[in-house]
Amino acid sequence: MFADGLGQFVTYCKKIQPETQQDIKRFFEGVVGFPYDKELLLQAYLFLNIQDLFPTCAELLLFEKSPIADYTDLGKCDFVYLTYKNKLFLIETKFIDTKATGATERKRRNKHRNKVFEQVITLKSRFSQYWNIKLEDLECGVFTTDPEIDWRGNDVNVVTRWVSIEKLEQWRQNYQKINEISE
């Protein structure tokens, strides 16, 4: 079913992140109800809409953990999904304030855009080396609040998706109302 390194990685994930998909869903639904952190709200949106955004993703293996044993200095990945084709899909998220204006804010946005791509590409390489997983078994994605990322993924083989800050907030309010009605 899995290539050797990939199978070992999946086993490793089940040990360090034993929560069920339902447990994780409840956590993210709690974030929607009490959005104290914009980045976490963006991550909740991603998790709760994963099939619409990245349809090849089947099961969340890791969330905000280091994929390389306890080496957090080597980076942690926001999301690692197993795909329906038994590949890994690494996703980095970044809440980018697209409403702020001025030269400093433009520079900050550009820095954030570059960093999120750099992170996911670096993680892909480290995954491949550490877990002995073929590069073709690793896919990468970036999810932000910035439409400017769309074209940046083409040259580096990174799937890009984004949601506007307005749509994110509108979704949060609607999601809350729907959950209040169903309770």
Side-chain angles (χ1 to χ4, degrees):
M1 186 168 143
F2 294 116
D4 277 350
L6 189 56
Q8 290 172 341
F9 178 73
V10 170
T11 301
Y12 164 78
C13 290
K14 304 261 185 214
K15 286 180 192 163
I16 69 160
Q17 184 132 1
E19 299 87 358
T20 66
Q21 299 296 300
Q22 197 58 38
D23 292 339
I24 297 166
K25 182 180 182 199
R26 276 193 293 275
F27 167 75
F28 281 122
E29 286 175 338
V31 169
V32 174
F34 301 98
Y36 57 89
D37 180 89
K38 292 176 182 179
E39 181 84 18
L40 205 49
L41 179 61
L42 180 67
Q43 291 172 337
Y45 181 91
L46 173 64
F47 179 82
L48 295 168
N49 294 283
I50 193 68
Q51 288 304 300
D52 296 330
L53 296 165
F54 298 100
T56 62
C57 292
E59 178 187 358
L60 180 64
L61 295 175
L62 279 186
F63 170 66
E64 286 286 349
K65 290 199 182 339
S66 173
I68 303 168
D70 292 324
Y71 299 107
T72 52
D73 58 318
L74 297 177
K76 60 181 174 44
C77 195
D78 292 339
F79 291 90
V80 179
Y81 275 90
L82 185 62
T83 71
Y84 290 106
K85 294 182 178 179
N86 287 328
K87 294 183 178 192
L88 295 182
F89 201 106
L90 317 176
I91 305 172
E92 283 295 313
T93 60
K94 189 74 180 155
F95 186 95
I96 299 174
D97 187 355
T98 54
K99 293 180 178 179
T101 58
T104 304
E105 290 303 322
R106 279 194 304 276
K107 193 182 274 187
R108 179 179 289 135
R109 274 193 296 276
N110 206 41
K111 183 180 171 191
H112 287 171
R113 290 175 191 131
N114 292 338
K115 185 176 181 190
V116 75
F117 279 97
E118 182 185 305
Q119 283 176 303
V120 79
I121 291 166
T122 300
L123 278 167
K124 179 179 182 177
S125 172
R126 288 183 179 154
F127 255 89
S128 176
Q129 291 170 0
Y130 186 84
W131 289 101
N132 195 26
I133 297 172
K134 294 179 196 153
L135 285 172
E136 58 266 19
D137 288 337
L138 292 163
E139 298 175 39
C140 296
V142 164
F143 183 60
T144 73
T145 52
D146 183 6
E148 293 289 318
I149 62 141
D150 262 355
W151 60 271
R152 291 176 181 239
N154 297 340
D155 296 338
V156 289
N157 202 22
V158 175
V159 180
T160 58
R161 299 286 183 265
W162 67 280
V163 62
S164 70
I165 294 171
E166 294 82 11
K167 185 176 177 189
L168 180 62
E169 182 54 32
Q170 187 178 37
W171 169 83
R172 184 189 71 77
Q173 291 170 2
N174 288 339
Y175 196 90
Q176 259 186 298
K177 287 178 189 169
I178 290 167
N179 281 347
E180 286 170 5
I181 291 168
S182 66
E183 287 177 351

